[in-house]
Structure formats: C-alpha cells, structure tokens
Amino acid sequence: MIGNDLLGIEDLEREDIQRILDTAVHMAEVSEREVKKVPTLRGRTIVNLFFESSTRTRASFEIAGKRLSADVVNFSPATSSLKKAESILDTARTLDAMDPDCVVVRHAVAGVPKRIAEVLDAPVVNAGDGAHEHPTQALLDLFTVQQEKGRLDGLSIAIVGDILHSRVARSNIYGFTKMGAEVRVAAPPPMIPPSIESLGVKASSSLREALDGADVVMALRIQSERLAGSYIPSIREYANTFGIDRAKLAYAKDDAIVMHPGPVNRGVELSHDLTDDRPSVILDQVRNGVAVRMAVLYLLTGRRPRAVAAPDEGGLVT
Ligand code: NCD
C-alpha cells in the first residue's frame, strides 16, 4: 500500500510501484472508452497548486481527476522562489480549510511539497519540486517502457542530458533501478552531479558509451531556467555532442525507443524527425501520464474516509 502522500520515488518499494502500474492499466482502459469517465472519485475535491508554470503536467492531473469524476480546482498563485516559506504554508493551510481530498503541488524549490504535506490533512502529490523529484513523470515513463518492452527487469536505460538540474532524471533513476533495470547517464561533466554513481548508475561523458546496447534512450530538456552558471559552452555544441539523431541512435540497440518528458527543444536534445516519429514515444508518454495520474489519485484518495460528514449524516443542517 502506498503511503498517505506521493512525494518521491525514493520513498516507494518495488511493490508500491508495481501496484500503481497495475492500477494504471485499468485506468488506461477507461481512457479508451467512448465516455471517458467513471464515478470513482465523485464528491471528492482535488486541488492543483502549481507555484511553478506547467502545461502538460497540470492538464494531465486535471484530466485525470475529471475522468474519475472528482471536482478539480486549479490554483496557480503568482510567486517567486524568493518568497518566504511561511506564505507558501499559509496558502496551503487556507486551501486545507476548504477540505480538499488531495492537493497536487509543484514548486521551484526542492522540499516544498514535503513541507506542505506536513501541515495538511489531505494527501499531497509532488508534481515536481526544483531539481529534486517528479514522481508521476517517472511512473508514466516506467509504464510506457513496460508497455513497449513488456518488462522493466534487465533492461538498459540511457538518460542523456542535464542530469544535475533534472528532477525527472532523479525520479527515473530511483524508479528504473528499483524495478531491476540498469541505468546509465550521459552528459557534459558539469551536468553530472558528483554523487550520482552512489544511486547505482554508471555516469559517462561519452554518449556512445552510455548508448551502447541501450533498450531505451531518454533525452532530457536543457533546463535554461535552472542554469545559473555556465555548464555548457553553447547550445550548438551541446546539440552536436549530446543531441540525439538517427545516426547517434545507432549506438543503441536496433529496437531502442526514444523518450523525452517534454517540452522538447527541437534540434537540441532531439532531431526534428526523432521528436515526431518512431522510435520516439513522446506522445505515448503524455497519454500514459493521464492513466498513471488517475491511478495515483485513486490509490491516495479513493478509499480515504471523508473528513466531513455528508449532509444526510447531519453535516449541514442542525
Ligand atoms: C518536466 C518538468 O517540468 O520537470 N516536464 C514535465 O513535467 N513534463 C521536464 C522539464 O521541464 O524539462
């Protein structure tokens, strides 16, 4: 059973991950119906609290909640990462007083969803915190690979790009290694955190070495908003050395698939044609994101006792 919150893949056991992936299979089936809606979370309220901008993740959580018949409220306070933690917690407490059943939090600072979870009654889902974790992205990536390859155990996963600033890389490293896959990372040396190999991955500044025999090639976005110092000489040089095109993809297995969490800087991390066509599975990742988030929302809130008595139990009229 997964805990009260979903803050990171680091906290999950292999069985928890498997349970979410198995539940997502049923949720994907709902999304294939003509009427893509089930009453599972009717009467529940989900708040999307996004302090940092997002297109696909926010929309994906919103669609996931609505397909389960929950009421979904989007709350995007204008904020800067310099604002005091107190004001963030005040916002969270204010929302909590409205008795939501789940709060989905994204913030540019690592650890904020955890702080919010400490003061809220409702379960909290981390939708990305700084360079720390982005657990639902990793879960949808695991789901997509499982769908494509029929297994996770024993696969070789190459993650290429800005590992240092990537919450997607961190969550995926935890996820894939827990599920028995082997993970290699490749990046220019300043973009490889010194302690990365302690997470059980092999780091390399050679793309060819990292891709050799890989089943999955995952490119990461250059995080220009988090690049405070100078980590790469130029975008063009990065694209020449680490940008994946069909020629470089030949280092990987013949049937390797290509992934990217989006948004793609076309022509930088991936060539234009690889962004659009197989073997890239970018839109499958997006589609699977809805099913995986439905599974997470269901597992966290579906069987949680309601905090407030229903009207017919004397909750409204006295
Ligand atoms: C990622 C994110 O925001 O962490 N995108 C996403 O959730 N789809 C990756 C990124 O922004 O590079």
Side-chain angles (χ1 to χ4, degrees), residues 24-74:
V25 173
H26 300 292
M27 299 302 178
E29 186 266 314
V30 171
S31 298
E32 277 160 21
R33 297 182 193 169
E34 200 181 328
V35 178
K36 306 177 184 58
K37 208 170 173 95
V38 287
T40 317
L41 295 187
R42 198 173 56 196
R44 307 276 170 160
T45 306
I46 296 167
V47 175
N48 274 335
L49 180 55
F50 278 60
F51 294 96
E52 191 187 54
S53 65
S54 163
T55 311
R56 66 194 75 209
T57 304
R58 210 200 64 174
S60 181
F61 271 107
E62 183 170 354
I63 292 172
K66 287 182 170 167
R67 286 198 182 157
L68 293 170
S69 301
D71 297 307
V72 183
V73 179
N74 291 315

Side-chain angles (χ1 to χ4, degrees), residues 180-197:
E182 173 224 0
V183 179
R184 311 94 171 263
V185 301
M191 288 181 163
I192 301 181
S195 57
I196 197 77
E197 292 199 334

Side-chain angles (χ1 to χ4, degrees), residues 52-57 106 127-130 133-134 137 140 165-168 220-223 225-226 260-263 293:
E52 191 187 54
S53 65
S54 163
T55 311
R56 66 194 75 209
T57 304
R106 169 171 284 201
D129 61 332
E133 280 229 37
H134 190 356
Q137 178 69 44
L140 74 88
H165 296 98
S166 177
R167 53 197 177 202
V168 174
L220 300 173
R221 185 175 64 88
I222 289 289
Q223 306 265 308
E225 75 277 25
R226 296 186 222 282
H260 192 296
R293 290 178 177 117

